[in-house]
Amino acid sequence: MQKSFGTLPSGEAATLYTISGGRLRAAITDYGATLVSLWVDGVDVVLGYDDVNGYAENDGFLGAVVGRNANRIKNAQFELDGRTVKLTPNEGSNNLHSGPNPFNTRFWSLDEVSENSVRFLLASPDGDQGFPGKAVVSVSYILDSNDTLRIVYDGISNKDTVFNFTNHAYFNLAGEGHPEKAMDQTLMLPARFFTPDDAENIPTGELRSVIGTPFDFRTAKPLSQDIGADYEPLHLQGGYDHNFEVFTAPCAILTDPESGRSMALSTDCPGVQVYTANFLDVIGKNGTHYHKRSGVCLETQFYPDSVNHPEWQQPFTKAGEPYHSVTKFKF
């Protein structure tokens, strides 16, 4: 099913596509290939806006597809093929989510749509946001019969480049209209270590054990339990906004204790960024005020600033080689 999703001041009109599968329904717009809603047994569990104009002013990246590079790059530059690739700083001296003119503020072309899936394409020219290579990327949303949302990312470039995509959905399994309950959700992460950041949100390079820290989610606990602990990484970021290792599936399980609703996350990416909406302050669907800590993002990706840490798994894709990545959310 498709319907109008509003018109921007420029006159460009957005379309909203609704797909269904099992207990799930999802709504995705061609503006940014953005995940607008995800209903589980009729309850919408992702934060969002009522129409395209909210997403055009989307400072919080609600439901956004982020690329070509998710997360941060120190000093907005890195080395590739013997030359320095320079991006635009947009968070102090660093680059966040690829910088200005992000993918989530562009219209994507509809490639395929069916009852349970939709696929969008985006052409990204050579030098787009500073990244080398003329690229074509795609994002597919697929609702499987086993109550799973699959997000599939594909890309190919005519030059060596960076492909490191994620989805920036904010989840509240109590329902997006209940922001006060978001931090009651319990999170289980089998991760053995996380990557601490400096005061500019850039990883220090340390892989720190979670043992004995507020970052130990190996046994499920409420997000609120240790978020206010006297621990420097939490002070620096105002809460959780950190990358954890991924080494098993599922790599995270999020649960709403009141309804019993749960979501198991699996990915082929090496990391998952847990972000507790520490600075969110927007008016969302039905006039709901999404304030600080109204949801949690579980962003599957390469480690932040991995382009400047050769000891970590790298997000570089060779010219002419296809990039393919899958993240699954099972309810």
Side-chain angles (χ1 to χ4, degrees):
M1 182 179 72
Q2 67 183 69
K3 66 177 183 179
S4 172
F5 196 51
T7 303
L8 296 175
S10 64
E12 296 173 288
T15 301
L16 189 69
Y17 298 87
T18 300
I19 58 177
S20 301
R23 297 160 49 221
L24 308 182
R25 280 194 305 133
I28 305 99
T29 177
D30 55 355
Y31 184 75
T34 300
L35 179 63
V36 173
S37 291
L38 178 60
W39 293 275
V40 184
D41 294 327
V43 177
D44 191 355
V45 298
V46 298
L47 279 58
Y49 299 100
D50 290 326
D51 63 29
V52 68
N53 288 285
Y55 290 96
E57 302 167 4
N58 189 0
D59 291 338
F61 289 90
L62 273 64
V65 170
V66 182
R68 296 184 195 185
N69 182 75
N71 218 302
R72 296 169 173 89
I73 294 177
K74 184 176 182 178
N75 294 327
Q77 63 181 42
F78 59 93
E79 300 296 316
L80 178 59
D81 296 335
R83 73 179 185 90
T84 300
V85 177
K86 294 187 176 182
L87 310 176
T88 301
N90 66 326
E91 188 182 65
S93 62
N94 305 313
N95 179 274
L96 172 64
H97 293 329
S98 301
N101 190 25
F103 281 6
N104 63 295
T105 61
R106 307 183 195 184
F107 279 93
W108 293 53
S109 300
L110 177 67
D111 184 50
E112 296 178 352
V113 63
S114 68
E115 181 181 352
N116 72 318
S117 68
V118 63
R119 183 172 187 253
F120 298 100
L121 298 176
L122 183 70
S124 179
D126 186 18
D128 191 8
Q129 297 177 296
F131 292 100
K134 180 181 179 181
V136 176
V137 300
S138 71
V139 176
S140 301
Y141 294 88
I142 304 160
L143 296 181
D144 294 337
S145 58
N146 62 348
D147 301 323
T148 299
L149 167 64
R150 277 190 291 143
I151 304 181
V152 182
Y153 307 93
D154 289 284
I156 194 165
S157 169
N158 68 346
K159 294 181 181 178
D160 294 0
T161 195
V162 172
F163 284 142
N164 177 23
F165 303 102
T166 196
N167 187 280
H168 207 289
Y170 292 75
F171 290 97
N172 182 354
L173 299 187
E176 59 80 26
H178 298 282
E180 75 285 354
K181 298 182 179 181
M183 292 298 102
D184 295 338
Q185 296 175 101
T186 65
L187 179 64
M188 191 283 288
L189 287 167
R192 299 161 297 182
F193 62 79
F194 72 103
T195 53
D197 298 334
D198 62 21
E200 294 185 335
N201 297 348
I202 299 295
T204 62
E206 177 188 359
L207 303 179
R208 184 177 298 181
S209 171
V210 301
I211 296 174
T213 79
F215 286 73
D216 191 348
F217 286 91
R218 292 173 301 163
T219 298
K221 65 182 180 183
L223 287 163
S224 60
Q225 179 171 308
D226 295 323
I227 200 169
D230 185 11
Y231 190 60
E232 184 181 41
L234 290 171
H235 292 319
L236 288 174
Q237 317 310 337
Y240 295 107
D241 189 7
H242 298 81
N243 168 68
F244 292 77
E245 70 155 342
V246 169
F247 75 99
T248 188
C251 65
I253 299 176
L254 187 68
T255 303
D256 171 45
E258 185 174 320
S259 67
R261 198 172 293 115
S262 67
M263 178 182 79
L265 177 66
S266 302
T267 184
D268 51 16
C269 294
V272 56
Q273 184 92 1
V274 177
Y275 176 52
T276 47
N278 305 320
F279 302 99
L280 190 64
D281 185 14
V282 299
I283 302 300
K285 298 170 187 171
N286 302 308
T288 300
H289 179 203
Y290 299 145
H291 49 72
K292 177 180 179 179
R293 299 177 184 167
S294 290
V296 59
C297 301
L298 301 171
E299 304 162 61
T300 58
Q301 58 191 351
F302 289 85
Y303 291 4
D305 196 38
S306 57
V307 291
N308 290 311
H309 288 271
E311 71 276 17
W312 294 346
Q313 188 172 334
Q314 294 297 294
F316 299 121
T317 297
K318 290 288 187 181
E321 291 187 1
Y323 172 86
H324 180 78
S325 180
V326 182
T327 294
K328 300 177 182 179
F329 306 85
K330 179 174 175 57
F331 293 86

